[in-house]
């Protein structure tokens, strides 16, 4: 008997053991394996081996053109991450190692004056790297501010990008990189459908290193860039794996100086990234199945790998966000929140988000004039992204719980709720109450849309602003596929979100 044949049985046993470990690990559990009733669909095969046979490419992928064909695979994509206090100083060496000659540094006016940018300038100069700084990034960027940044960078012709700032800065740098590589593209070519054409990015982009200075968006790990499309009064963006940074440098020293209000708002984004990706529809329920791998979306639905990152980020956020907001000298909490933001970025960057984010885009885009505590010095009214996302969270998870009560109860347990005697039909209410208490304990958070200045007369416009967010709505459990019924569900959600 050959050596290959002798080894095969042991290898098969190890593979089977690994599959069983993945299948039965709890928590976090996988929606497609741990809960056959997920979404009230017909039960999937109960083992990964059976599922692999049932969904093998040889049986299904030969004719994937049907719009009703469900997905059978998921992909894992994330930026390389370097984490540690003081790692910002290494960025000059990184560019030297990759042979970069002309680096475009992207930041905003506030961050440009902080220690992070001092570290960047010193590090680049020390290694003899030529660079130019673009510091006109807008907080919550608009399409016109993105276009200004693109016009600025094209004559410079950089061979690498460095983003230093929060999600607005990193997202702007991603789009500068994208449109610099496609000089003849129309601005809407890559923007998510239906507001844009949603074309795939079919070539590699210039290296981009991201240095986050807030603990929230996780943009240093994802292929997503978000902005306001002013003419439509809606948020949209571009999403593709090729957009993700080459490297995320996560330095807790860069987030330690955030004001408490910014820490809270940023942390609420992490919270909803975690919860939404944890409760998104399972990847194998997403339709249509792509006809080519390049068309497989970055947001795929919950899967066994995203679950690990999302649930771990949720638990860290619940534990450390209140501490980081209360005590600016709690360096452990500041560091743990930056790590949670990055973990959640990997989770939602592959699974996606759903209703909280879909509803948040018109909430921020149609702001009736609200200025959040700690953001009063900005030139125009602003609902911070994390606030616009979290304000609907109790209503959202009260609604989505029927799709998978067990998963919502596990989330409630992460908030410290004893769920041992809670009935499955009460899962949504229990999680909504836990979220409401958590938001109240953070302090200075709106207790619903009314506190932001919205009223019943605004609901129809909010619904119409949510409908175009197909990229995330398609991942929302329990949302009806019929447009009119979907609108009715969204109306009720916005009504429920008026007050907690």
């Amino acid at each position: 008997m050959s050596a290959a044949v002798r080894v095969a049985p042991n290898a098969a046993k190890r593979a089977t053991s690994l599959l069983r470990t993945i299948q039965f690990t709890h928590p976090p559990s996988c929606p497609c394996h741990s809960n056959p009733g997920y979404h009230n669909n017909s039960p999937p095969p109960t083992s990964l081996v059976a599922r692999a046979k049932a969904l093998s490419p040889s049986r299904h992928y030969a004719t994937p053109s049907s719009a009703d064909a469900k997905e059978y695979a998921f992909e894992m994509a994330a930026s390389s991450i370097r984490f540690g206090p003081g790692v910002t100083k290494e960025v000059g060496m990184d560019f030297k190692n990759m042979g970069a000659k002309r680096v475009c540094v992207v930041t905003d006016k506030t961050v440009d004056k902080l220690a992070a940018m001092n570290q960047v300038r010193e590090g680049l100069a020390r290694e003899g790297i030529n660079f130019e700084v673009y510091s006109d990034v807008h907080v919550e960027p608009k399409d016109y501010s993105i276009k200004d940044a693109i016009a600025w960078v094209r004559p410079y012709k950089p061979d690498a990008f460095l983003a230093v700032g929060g999600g607005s800065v990193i997202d702007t740098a991603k789009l500068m990189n994208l449109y610099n590589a496609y000089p003849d593209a129309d601005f809407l070519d890559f923007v998510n459908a239906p507001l844009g054409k949603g074309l795939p990015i079919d070539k590699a982009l210039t290296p981009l290193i991201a240095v986050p200075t807030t603990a929230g968006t996780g943009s240093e790990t994802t292929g997503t860039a978000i902005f306001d499309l002013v003419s439509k009064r809606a948020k949209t963006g571009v999403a593709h794996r090729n957009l993700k940074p080459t490297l995320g440098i996560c330095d807790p020293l860069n987030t330690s100086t955030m004001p408490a209000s910014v820490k809270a708002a940023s942390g609420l984004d992490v919270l909803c990234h975690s919860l939404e990706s944890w409760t998104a529809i399972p990847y194998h329920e997403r339709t249509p199945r792509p006809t080519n791998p390049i068309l497989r979306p970055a947001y795929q639905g919950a899967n066994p790998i995203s679950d690990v990152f999302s649930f771990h980020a949720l638990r860290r956020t619940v534990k450390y966000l209140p501490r980081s907001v209360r005590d600016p000298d709690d360096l452990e909490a500041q560091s743990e929140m930056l790590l949670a933001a990055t973990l959640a970025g990997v989770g939602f960057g592959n699974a996606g988000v759903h209703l909280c984010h879909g509803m948040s885009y018109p909430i921020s885009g149609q702001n009736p004039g609200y200025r959040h505590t700690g953001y009063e010095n900005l030139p125009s009214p602003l609902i911070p992204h994390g606030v616009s996302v979290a304000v609907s969270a109790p209503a959202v998870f009260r609604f989505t719980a029927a799709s998978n009560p067990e998963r919502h109860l596990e989330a409630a347990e992460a908030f410290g709720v004893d769920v041992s005697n809670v009935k499955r039909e009460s899962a949504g209410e229990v999680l909504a109450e836990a979220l409401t208490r958590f938001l109240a304990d953070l302090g200075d958070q709106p207790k619903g849309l009314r506190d932001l200045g919205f009223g019943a007369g605004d609901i129809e416009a909010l619904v119409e602003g949510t409908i175009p967010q197909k990229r995330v709505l398609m991942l929302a459990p329990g949302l009806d596929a019929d447009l009119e019924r979907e609108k009715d569900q969204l109306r009720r959600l916005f009504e429920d979100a008026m007050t907690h």
Side-chain angles (χ1 to χ4, degrees):
M1 183 180 292
S2 69
V5 173
R6 287 197 302 272
V7 172
N10 290 333
K13 288 180 180 178
R14 289 196 299 270
T16 302
S17 176
L18 174 60
L19 291 173
R20 286 174 176 165
T21 299
I22 295 172
Q23 180 181 351
F24 295 111
T25 298
H26 177 84
S29 57
C30 171
C32 53
H33 308 134
S34 66
N35 182 18
Y38 197 102
H39 274 136
N40 299 315
N41 289 305
S42 57
T46 55
S47 77
L48 287 174
V49 173
R51 178 153 198 84
K53 290 179 179 177
L55 297 177
S56 66
S58 61
R59 290 187 54 185
H60 291 268
Y61 203 76
T63 56
S65 58
S66 171
D68 296 327
K70 291 182 178 180
E71 180 62 278
Y72 73 97
F74 65 91
E75 296 184 21
M76 181 65 189
S79 305
S80 295
I81 296 295
R82 181 182 303 144
F83 189 100
V87 291
T88 306
K89 64 179 179 292
E90 297 180 356
V91 71
M93 291 182 279
D94 288 314
F95 284 116
K96 186 173 183 178
N97 291 341
M98 67 176 65
K101 304 297 182 185
R102 297 167 64 83
V103 177
C104 173
V105 181
V106 185
T107 190
D108 62 38
K109 297 294 188 187
T110 300
V111 175
D112 197 23
K113 302 170 186 174
L114 299 180
M117 275 299 293
N118 292 337
Q119 288 281 303
V120 161
R121 285 186 167 93
E122 291 172 6
L124 294 175
R126 187 164 52 244
E127 300 300 328
I129 305 294
N130 292 317
F131 66 95
E132 293 289 338
V133 176
Y134 180 80
S135 61
D136 288 332
V137 171
H138 286 212
V139 176
E140 303 292 340
K142 317 293 183 187
D143 51 356
Y144 59 79
S145 72
I146 298 292
K147 291 175 182 178
D148 288 345
I150 294 167
W152 181 93
V153 77
R154 279 177 171 161
Y156 181 56
K157 299 184 182 343
D159 58 7
F161 284 81
L162 173 61
V164 186
S168 297
V169 167
I170 299 173
D171 287 2
T172 298
K174 290 176 182 177
L175 295 174
M176 292 168 75
N177 192 10
L178 171 63
Y179 288 96
N180 188 56
Y182 289 87
D184 298 324
D186 181 79
F187 184 70
L188 292 178
D189 279 354
F190 302 104
V191 173
N192 300 323
L195 295 173
K197 297 178 183 177
L199 298 180
I201 301 170
D202 58 4
K203 59 183 176 183
L205 304 183
T206 298
L208 163 63
I209 295 178
V211 182
T213 59
T214 61
T217 66
S219 188
E220 67 276 6
T221 74
T222 74
T224 302
I226 302 297
F227 60 89
D228 285 316
L229 192 60
V230 177
S231 62
K232 300 294 185 181
R233 298 188 70 201
K235 272 193 186 298
T236 185
V238 179
H240 193 274
R241 290 178 186 83
N242 289 3
L243 208 61
K244 63 183 173 61
T246 311
L247 172 65
I249 294 181
C250 300
D251 186 341
L253 299 182
N254 293 336
T255 61
S256 61
T257 57
M258 280 193 298
S261 57
V262 177
K263 288 176 182 173
S266 300
L268 291 176
D269 198 20
V270 182
L271 183 75
C272 289
H273 284 160
S274 305
L275 280 168
E276 289 172 77
S277 52
W278 172 249
T279 57
I281 67 168
Y283 73 93
H284 59 81
E285 291 297 336
R286 195 189 73 251
T287 57
R289 183 190 307 162
T291 55
N292 187 303
I294 197 174
L295 300 176
R296 181 165 284 119
Y299 286 5
Q300 304 164 82
N303 60 76
I305 296 178
S306 69
D307 285 344
V308 174
F309 287 90
S310 298
F311 198 81
H312 195 56
L314 172 62
R315 288 187 291 193
R316 294 182 104 90
T317 302
V318 170
K319 179 176 181 179
Y320 291 107
L321 178 57
R323 281 175 50 180
S324 73
V325 171
R326 286 194 299 266
D327 185 0
D329 296 322
D330 188 340
L331 298 183
E332 180 190 20
Q334 319 303 335
S335 179
E336 290 287 347
M337 277 309 301
L338 179 58
L339 185 57
T342 301
L343 293 169
V346 176
F348 91 85
N350 288 276
V353 288
H354 54 79
L355 281 167
C356 293
H357 273 75
M359 294 167 66
S360 80
Y361 298 145
I363 290 171
S364 58
Q366 299 174 26
N367 183 3
Y370 176 82
R371 290 178 182 269
H372 192 63
T373 303
Y375 291 78
E376 297 91 347
N377 61 335
L378 294 177
S380 57
L382 175 74
I383 303 173
H385 175 62
V387 174
S388 70
V389 169
V391 73
S392 69
V396 163
F397 294 106
R398 188 180 289 117
F399 168 79
T400 59
S403 68
N404 190 336
E406 290 81 5
R407 190 157 280 229
H408 286 67
L409 286 173
E410 287 169 2
E413 199 168 22
F415 285 88
V417 179
D418 180 1
V419 300
S420 56
N421 294 315
V422 176
K423 296 180 179 179
R424 296 172 77 255
E425 56 267 30
S426 301
E429 196 59 48
V430 168
L431 180 54
E433 290 175 0
L435 277 163
T436 300
R437 286 194 300 272
F438 186 82
L439 294 171
D441 290 344
L442 278 183
D444 292 325
Q445 299 304 315
K447 297 178 177 62
L449 291 173
R450 291 194 188 282
D451 284 0
L452 299 179
F454 291 101
D458 299 306
I459 288 178
E460 204 60 38
L462 291 170
V463 170
E464 291 301 322
T466 305
I467 290 297
Q469 312 302 328
K470 298 299 183 185
R471 182 177 63 97
V472 295
L473 295 185
M474 68 183 293
L475 300 173
L479 202 61
D480 204 293
D482 178 79
L483 180 59
E484 290 307 313
R485 287 197 289 269
E486 178 185 36
K487 286 183 177 180
D488 190 53
Q489 288 175 316
L490 290 171
R491 289 186 192 101
R492 293 199 298 271
L493 280 167
F494 279 114
E495 289 169 358
D496 194 15
M498 281 293 165
T499 59
H500 293 168

